[in-house]
Amino acid sequence: MRDPRYDILFEPVAIGPVTARNRFYQVPHCAGMGYRYPSSNAALRGMKAEGGWAVVCTEEAEIHPSAEISPYVENRIWDAQDLPHLTALTEAVHAQGGLAGIELVHNGLHSPNHYSREVPMGPSHRAVDSGDPLQARAMDKADIANLRRWHRNAALRAREAGFDIVYVYAGHDMSLLQHFLSRRHNDRTDEYGGSLENRVRLIREVLIDTKEAVGDRCGVAFRFAVDELLGADGITAGGEGHDAVAMLAELPDLWDVNVSGWDNDSQTARFAEEGYQETYTRFVKSLTTKPVVGVGRYTSPDAMVRVVKQGIMDMLGAARPSIADPFLPKKIETGRIDDIRECIGCNICVTGDNFAAPIRCTQNPTMGEEWRRGWHPEVIPEIKQRERVLIVGGGPAGLEAARACGQRGLEVVLAEAGEVWGGRVARECKLPGLASWGRVRDWRLGQLHKLANVEMYLASDLTADDILSYGIAHVALATGAVWRRDGIGRTRHSEIPGLDRGPLLTPDDVMAEGFDDQALPDGPVVVYDDEGYVMGGLMAEVLARAGRAVTLVTPAPLVSAWTQHALDQPRIHRRLVESGVSIRLNAVMTARGADSVDLACSYTGAPDRLACVLLVAVTSRLPNEKLYLDLKARESDGTDIGIETLGSIGDGRAPGTIAAAVFAGHRYARDFGEVIDPDVTPFRREAIEVLGN
Ligand code: ADP
Ligand code: SF4
């Protein structure tokens, strides 16, 4: 069972009047569900509690209509209408023995109030930070009194809904209380501005209000950003962050500390290692006797033990590790360390929230599907009839399909053309900063090796004849995709003329085993990124690191534009500049010459020319669908080719994210043996009540 080394992680921790059963603490995190998908949210949070998290928190819960951030779907606790939703959530957490926490927030100048149309408010006259042409007005004393009353009433409603932990929140630069604390946002001359003592005043008042209102039954947590990574322009762990903790040290029942804004708190693995926040947050425990929660994408139980023993934190805060594996605590508790599905730090989970859509996860395909599809991260119904299934392709889609089919009890044969498992992740995890992406392969291989009913074959490049000769009735093709060599991409829908006038590479070439940039001709390199996710930037980084003069050209107004939604776009841009890459935005490639590329401005069409000896085209991908089309062609004349079901999944169906491929593989296994009616919505939907006039 449990390794005694990890016993310390299972000690209870008192948080004011309530006690957490162990040290595992799911800090508040967005799930794109909130008030709009309350049943989904309740099931998601309940699943974390089932997986052993002692404390499970909501996303931020707006306390008032003047505090809302639509279109993002957070929680709301404006009035009694919100209570049934929130009660369903606390009941789901309590049913599994967890404590439920709620992060109350007024978003201050982070609230454009698109839905409520209330005038935004903040400590001083400032533009709202959403980019809208709106300003927050400076709050007067009546506003401050209102704010305190709204927060107090929200805390009382939270207690009524059954919450055990109620937050006061000053983090991520998204909270009015942090705005008051910040010299940047607060230039008041009254007792709420000026000295740090004055700027902390509102936080102190709200903490006292909350304790008085609910402190008898609920622990009062304070989530505080101790550093904004802005140097002298912001709060710093060595300056006002430290001093604010000293001033408020014993007031909250628990300190939940991190760095701000969200892009610093949730850094991708490309830019931050496990434990990256320790440098900033480790001082907090020296100033308070109250329990301290910290985060840092911890997935290793040894690292967790270390931070507790070293006195850096009392409770292991986690958002992403709890998303990738809701059963992480249970697995440590039952000695199943190898089964932990480790977060890869890709922030696909964050993109869900940024699209106001329910959360998804690369590693955990059941994330967000707990209620609407009834998917459990650890359990898949056993198959009634033990049948054979052949899965072709050992990338994320094929590995997950084989693993989940194996878990269901099917007789699985998994064949992979290459010499190694992992498909695209085997290649992509060798790119700078992406080593942890290999966990997508590693976890699945670890699980597959435990399944006696799965046979696995490398170096097996199957043809249609091979497949038919096996006589296996169920076949799933997970054959992946290749990068296009014709220039067709996001903006351009026809071939770019002259692409073959000089050496042309795609990411497949650069990532291929044995790729040697030294064998390529000297001279300027152009990476043309008409895809917009990570690959264009990565190609430029790889070649610049190899000493080449690289220009990254993209029709988009930003480098790796889609990574904005995963929060690391500014870091990617900075890294490229620091690597010596020249950046050319808003430029479409129209043609290639012998030693140049022709460009046109995305807006005006104005032509330009750039020297180019070596071109790397990162445009879009084509599915490897030949096998699928061959097999389909053989049965098209009505011939019985001995295949009952033929599936095509993952990038081989339509290239997308790794998360989409893993999801496709998982869904294949879940759907196996079911009659799927394409006219029926494949999941339950939340009901919206019609209230009438
Ligand atoms: P996905 O992300 O959809 O899993 P990948 O490109 O990562 O796609 O993986 C697809 C895998 O399928 C690759 O490792 C590739 O070698 C393998 N593959 C493609 N065609 C065949 C085939 N005919 N037989 C066996 N394996 C194949
Ligand atoms: Fe981790 Fe990526 Fe899953 Fe988010 S989506 S929890 S970063 S693996």
Side-chain angles (χ1 to χ4, degrees):
M1 289 294 275
R2 180 166 91 214
D3 186 326
R5 273 186 304 159
Y6 305 137
D7 286 354
I8 193 170
L9 302 176
F10 294 89
E11 292 169 351
V13 180
I15 304 167
V18 297
T19 300
R21 60 185 158 175
N22 60 39
R23 296 185 188 271
F24 292 93
Y25 193 111
Q26 183 243 278
V27 294
H29 74 73
C30 307
M33 292 174 171
Y35 63 85
R36 192 180 296 160
Y37 305 107
S39 303
S40 305
N41 204 16
L44 160 61
R45 308 291 176 178
M47 192 63 79
K48 304 268 194 93
E50 185 183 335
W53 297 87
V55 178
V56 179
C57 298
T58 62
E59 53 280 270
E60 60 170 41
E62 302 155 355
I63 61 171
H64 187 263
S66 67
E68 59 95 4
I69 59 165
S70 55
Y72 303 105
V73 189
E74 308 305 325
N75 237 314
R76 287 180 179 160
I77 186 162
W78 297 357
D79 53 42
Q81 194 176 329
D82 297 305
L83 291 195
H85 294 172
L86 295 168
T87 306
L89 190 152
T90 60
E91 285 174 353
V93 172
H94 291 160
Q96 300 296 337
L99 297 176
I102 183 166
E103 185 181 57
L104 302 183
V105 64
H106 191 297
N107 287 102
L109 49 90
H110 185 60
S111 308
N113 297 329
H114 293 302
Y115 173 61
S116 68
R117 302 189 68 177
E118 292 294 329
V119 177
M121 291 188 296
S124 303
H125 294 296
R126 288 287 187 282
V128 294
D129 70 3
S130 53
D132 295 279
L134 294 169
Q135 288 197 199
R137 64 179 172 80
M139 290 166 71
D140 61 20
K141 292 291 165 53
D143 295 319
I144 290 177
N146 285 343
L147 179 276
R148 288 179 60 182
R149 194 178 59 259
W150 296 336
H151 202 284
R152 186 175 189 281
N153 288 341
L156 289 169
R157 284 193 290 274
R159 187 179 68 180
E160 192 181 335
F163 283 98
D164 310 284
I165 294 172
V166 174
Y167 266 80
V168 173
Y169 173 43
H172 299 122
D173 205 19
M174 292 179 184
S175 142
L176 183 71
L177 296 177
Q178 188 179 351
H179 299 150
F180 265 82
L181 180 69
S182 155
R183 277 178 280 114
R184 209 165 64 252
H185 302 311
N186 179 347
D187 53 26
R188 300 174 74 95
T189 52
D190 63 3
E191 69 269 33
Y192 291 96
S195 67
L196 180 63
E197 185 67 49
N198 281 356
R199 284 180 279 120
V200 163
R201 186 177 310 278
L202 188 57
I203 295 175
R204 183 191 296 282
E205 289 173 346
V206 171
L207 275 167
I208 292 170
D209 292 344
T210 310
K211 285 197 84 166
E212 280 174 6
V214 301
D216 58 331
R217 284 229 329 261
C218 308
V220 175
F222 181 39
R223 195 178 204 192
F224 180 54
V226 297
D227 203 304
E228 297 182 293
L229 312 198
L230 292 174
D233 292 337
I235 299 162
T236 58
E240 292 193 334
H242 175 279
D243 296 347
V245 175
M247 285 174 185
L248 301 169
E250 296 300 309
L251 210 44
D253 295 317
L254 173 133
W255 283 88
D256 174 352
V257 288
N258 60 11
V259 292
S260 174
W262 190 14
D263 58 327
N264 290 327
D265 188 22
S266 292
Q267 291 183 49
T268 55
R270 202 167 159 188
F271 296 96
E273 300 283 327
E274 181 179 56
Y276 58 94
Q277 300 204 18
E278 286 175 30
T279 329
Y280 303 99
T281 57
R282 63 186 319 147
F283 77 88
V284 176
K285 259 192 72 62
S286 68
L287 296 178
T288 178
T289 63
K290 301 300 169 82
V292 173
V293 177
V295 290
R297 220 178 52 246
Y298 295 100
T299 55
S300 138
D302 293 312
M304 297 174 194
V305 168
R306 176 184 59 76
V307 294
V308 175
K309 285 200 166 157
Q310 290 181 349
I312 295 169
M313 57 187 83
D314 300 288
M315 301 190 77
L316 279 311
R320 290 172 292 176
S322 76
I323 293 166
D325 197 339
F327 277 66
L328 186 149
K330 274 265 158 75
K331 289 176 182 174
I332 299 175
E333 191 173 20
T334 54
R336 294 190 295 130
I337 308 299
D338 291 352
D339 291 340
I340 295 173
R341 201 169 36 234
E342 289 183 285
C343 167
I344 70 166
C346 61
N347 280 7
I348 287 294
C349 47
V350 173
T351 67
D353 184 64
N354 280 335
F355 294 126
I359 191 168
R360 71 239 24 234
C361 169
T362 300
Q363 275 285 57
N364 175 9
T366 69
M367 178 47 46
E369 306 294 344
E370 300 82 359
W371 180 82
R372 69 175 187 177
R373 291 183 207 262
W375 287 2
H376 189 287
E378 300 300 309
V379 184
I380 311 185
E382 207 171 311
I383 203 83
K384 291 179 198 86
Q385 222 180 330
R386 218 173 157 98
E387 292 186 88
R388 293 187 83 202
V389 54
L390 170 66
I391 294 164
V392 184
L399 287 173
E400 176 61 16
R403 186 205 66 76
C405 284
Q407 188 185 359
R408 293 200 68 183
L410 288 156
E411 296 289 338
V412 181
V413 178
L414 175 62
E416 160 58 44
E419 302 287 338
V420 296
W421 296 107
R424 62 181 287 189
V425 293
R427 297 186 291 276
E428 291 173 15
C429 76
K430 292 191 188 136
L431 294 170
L434 298 193
S436 61
W437 289 26
R439 294 172 173 180
V440 172
R441 166 202 59 202
D442 299 342
W443 181 77
R444 290 175 173 80
L445 281 181
Q447 300 295 300
L448 282 162
H449 288 141
K450 294 182 186 181
L451 292 167
N453 51 327
V454 179
E455 295 167 40
M456 299 169 65
Y457 301 96
L458 286 171
S460 307
D461 191 357
L462 304 189
T463 63
D465 286 331
D466 294 331
I467 291 171
L468 295 182
S469 72
Y470 300 147
I472 299 177
H474 303 282
V475 178
L477 304 177
T479 47
V482 289
W483 286 93
R484 295 182 80 126
R485 307 185 72 84
D486 56 8
I488 291 177
R490 191 165 298 283
T491 54
R492 191 169 170 110
H493 300 278
S494 59
E495 245 174 74
I496 298 178
L499 275 183
D500 53 1
R501 285 201 192 116
L504 173 69
L505 301 177
T506 71
D508 291 325
D509 302 317
V510 176
M511 292 188 291
E513 205 60 51
F515 169 73
D516 178 11
D517 72 285
Q518 300 304 321
L520 296 163
D522 283 338
V525 177
V526 169
V527 174
Y528 181 57
D529 183 6
D530 193 18
E531 192 232 10
Y533 187 33
V534 290
M535 194 53 84
L538 284 162
M539 292 297 107
E541 189 178 339
V542 166
L543 291 165
R545 282 181 180 211
R548 313 288 303 223
V550 181
T551 304
L552 176 69
V553 177
T554 177
L558 289 173
V559 163
S560 297
W562 197 79
T563 61
Q564 283 181 95
H565 309 297
L567 306 177
D568 58 359
Q569 191 280 333
R571 284 189 163 83
I572 292 173
H573 189 116
R574 191 187 320 150
R575 177 164 289 176
L576 291 179
V577 172
E578 286 168 357
S579 306
V581 174
S582 302
I583 292 171
R584 188 68 189 274
L585 304 173
N586 305 315
V588 178
M589 187 182 296
T590 51
R592 183 180 190 185
D595 50 16
S596 63
V597 288
D598 289 341
L599 306 177
C601 169
S602 298
Y603 296 106
T604 64
D608 197 2
R609 185 163 281 182
L610 197 63
C612 169
V613 165
L614 176 63
L615 177 64
V616 184
V618 185
T619 54
S620 61
R621 289 177 288 159
L622 279 172
N624 293 322
E625 58 185 355
K626 182 174 180 308
L627 202 47
Y628 182 71
L629 297 177
D630 278 359
L631 288 167
K632 277 285 176 203
R634 302 220 188 169
E635 64 183 9
S636 63
D637 58 0
T639 316
D640 178 5
I641 60 169
I643 294 183
E644 270 177 51
T645 63
L646 176 63
S648 166
I649 56 175
D651 290 332
R653 184 77 169 150
T657 57
I658 300 169
V662 170
F663 180 80
H666 193 82
R667 189 173 177 188
Y668 175 80
R670 293 265 181 183
D671 286 350
F672 192 93
E674 303 290 326
V675 180
I676 305 296
D677 182 345
D679 293 344
V680 173
T681 305
F683 48 79
R684 282 200 288 175
R685 287 193 293 164
E686 308 262 352
I688 296 172
E689 199 183 350
V690 179
L691 296 173
N693 293 322

Short mmCIF file of all heavy atoms in Angstrom, two decimals, residues 320 323-324 343-349 360-363, ligand 2:
data_model
loop_
_atom_site.label_atom_id
_atom_site.label_comp_id
_atom_site.label_asym_id
_atom_site.label_seq_id
_atom_site.Cartn_x
_atom_site.Cartn_y
_atom_site.Cartn_z
N ARG A 320 -3.59 22.46 -12.19
CA ARG A 320 -3.36 21.58 -13.34
C ARG A 320 -3.06 20.13 -12.96
O ARG A 320 -3.63 19.21 -13.59
CB ARG A 320 -2.26 22.19 -14.22
CG ARG A 320 -2.76 23.45 -14.93
CD ARG A 320 -1.65 24.19 -15.65
NE ARG A 320 -0.70 24.77 -14.74
CZ ARG A 320 0.41 25.40 -15.10
NH1 ARG A 320 0.71 25.51 -16.39
NH2 ARG A 320 1.22 25.93 -14.21
N ILE A 323 -6.22 18.47 -12.55
CA ILE A 323 -7.00 18.36 -13.79
C ILE A 323 -6.50 17.14 -14.58
O ILE A 323 -7.27 16.31 -15.04
CB ILE A 323 -6.86 19.66 -14.61
CG1 ILE A 323 -7.53 20.83 -13.88
CG2 ILE A 323 -7.43 19.50 -16.01
CD1 ILE A 323 -7.16 22.21 -14.42
N ALA A 324 -5.19 17.06 -14.70
CA ALA A 324 -4.60 15.93 -15.44
C ALA A 324 -4.86 14.61 -14.71
O ALA A 324 -5.06 13.57 -15.34
CB ALA A 324 -3.10 16.14 -15.61
N CYS A 343 0.53 15.99 -15.37
CA CYS A 343 0.30 17.18 -16.20
C CYS A 343 1.54 17.44 -17.06
O CYS A 343 2.66 17.28 -16.60
CB CYS A 343 0.05 18.36 -15.27
SG CYS A 343 0.10 19.97 -16.07
N ILE A 344 1.31 17.84 -18.32
CA ILE A 344 2.45 18.12 -19.20
C ILE A 344 2.74 19.63 -19.29
O ILE A 344 3.66 20.05 -20.01
CB ILE A 344 2.27 17.53 -20.61
CG1 ILE A 344 1.18 18.25 -21.41
CG2 ILE A 344 1.95 16.03 -20.52
CD1 ILE A 344 1.20 17.91 -22.91
N GLY A 345 1.92 20.44 -18.63
CA GLY A 345 2.19 21.89 -18.64
C GLY A 345 1.97 22.55 -19.98
O GLY A 345 2.70 23.47 -20.35
N CYS A 346 0.92 22.09 -20.71
CA CYS A 346 0.67 22.65 -22.05
C CYS A 346 -0.37 23.78 -22.05
O CYS A 346 -0.49 24.52 -23.02
CB CYS A 346 0.19 21.55 -22.99
SG CYS A 346 -1.36 20.78 -22.45
N ASN A 347 -1.16 23.87 -20.99
CA ASN A 347 -2.21 24.89 -20.83
C ASN A 347 -3.35 24.80 -21.82
O ASN A 347 -4.03 25.81 -22.08
CB ASN A 347 -1.60 26.30 -20.83
CG ASN A 347 -1.02 26.65 -19.47
OD1 ASN A 347 -0.96 25.82 -18.57
ND2 ASN A 347 -0.59 27.89 -19.30
N ILE A 348 -3.59 23.63 -22.37
CA ILE A 348 -4.81 23.46 -23.16
C ILE A 348 -6.03 23.62 -22.26
O ILE A 348 -7.08 24.11 -22.68
CB ILE A 348 -4.79 22.08 -23.87
CG1 ILE A 348 -3.78 22.09 -25.03
CG2 ILE A 348 -6.18 21.68 -24.37
CD1 ILE A 348 -4.11 23.00 -26.19
N CYS A 349 -5.88 23.27 -20.98
CA CYS A 349 -6.98 23.48 -20.01
C CYS A 349 -7.36 24.96 -19.94
O CYS A 349 -8.53 25.31 -19.88
CB CYS A 349 -6.57 22.97 -18.63
SG CYS A 349 -4.93 23.50 -18.11
N ARG A 360 -10.96 21.30 -21.01
CA ARG A 360 -10.45 20.05 -21.58
C ARG A 360 -9.00 19.90 -21.15
O ARG A 360 -8.39 20.88 -20.72
CB ARG A 360 -10.55 20.04 -23.10
CG ARG A 360 -9.60 20.97 -23.80
CD ARG A 360 -10.24 22.03 -24.69
NE ARG A 360 -11.60 22.37 -24.39
CZ ARG A 360 -12.59 22.32 -25.29
NH1 ARG A 360 -12.34 21.98 -26.53
NH2 ARG A 360 -13.81 22.67 -24.95
N CYS A 361 -8.47 18.69 -21.28
CA CYS A 361 -7.09 18.45 -20.84
C CYS A 361 -6.43 17.49 -21.81
O CYS A 361 -7.05 16.53 -22.26
CB CYS A 361 -7.11 17.87 -19.42
SG CYS A 361 -5.52 17.23 -18.87
N THR A 362 -5.17 17.75 -22.11
CA THR A 362 -4.44 16.88 -23.03
C THR A 362 -4.28 15.49 -22.43
O THR A 362 -4.51 14.48 -23.11
CB THR A 362 -3.05 17.49 -23.31
OG1 THR A 362 -3.25 18.78 -23.90
CG2 THR A 362 -2.24 16.63 -24.26
N GLN A 363 -3.89 15.43 -21.17
CA GLN A 363 -3.61 14.13 -20.54
C GLN A 363 -4.88 13.40 -20.14
O GLN A 363 -4.92 12.17 -20.16
CB GLN A 363 -2.72 14.33 -19.30
CG GLN A 363 -1.24 14.39 -19.58
CD GLN A 363 -0.66 13.02 -19.90
OE1 GLN A 363 -1.10 12.33 -20.81
NE2 GLN A 363 0.35 12.62 -19.15
FE1 SF4 B 2 -1.76 19.90 -17.62
FE2 SF4 B 2 -2.07 20.35 -20.22
FE3 SF4 B 2 -3.91 18.97 -18.82
FE4 SF4 B 2 -3.66 21.57 -18.45
S1 SF4 B 2 -4.29 20.55 -20.34
S2 SF4 B 2 -3.85 20.01 -16.88
S3 SF4 B 2 -1.49 21.85 -18.66
S4 SF4 B 2 -1.84 18.36 -19.24
#
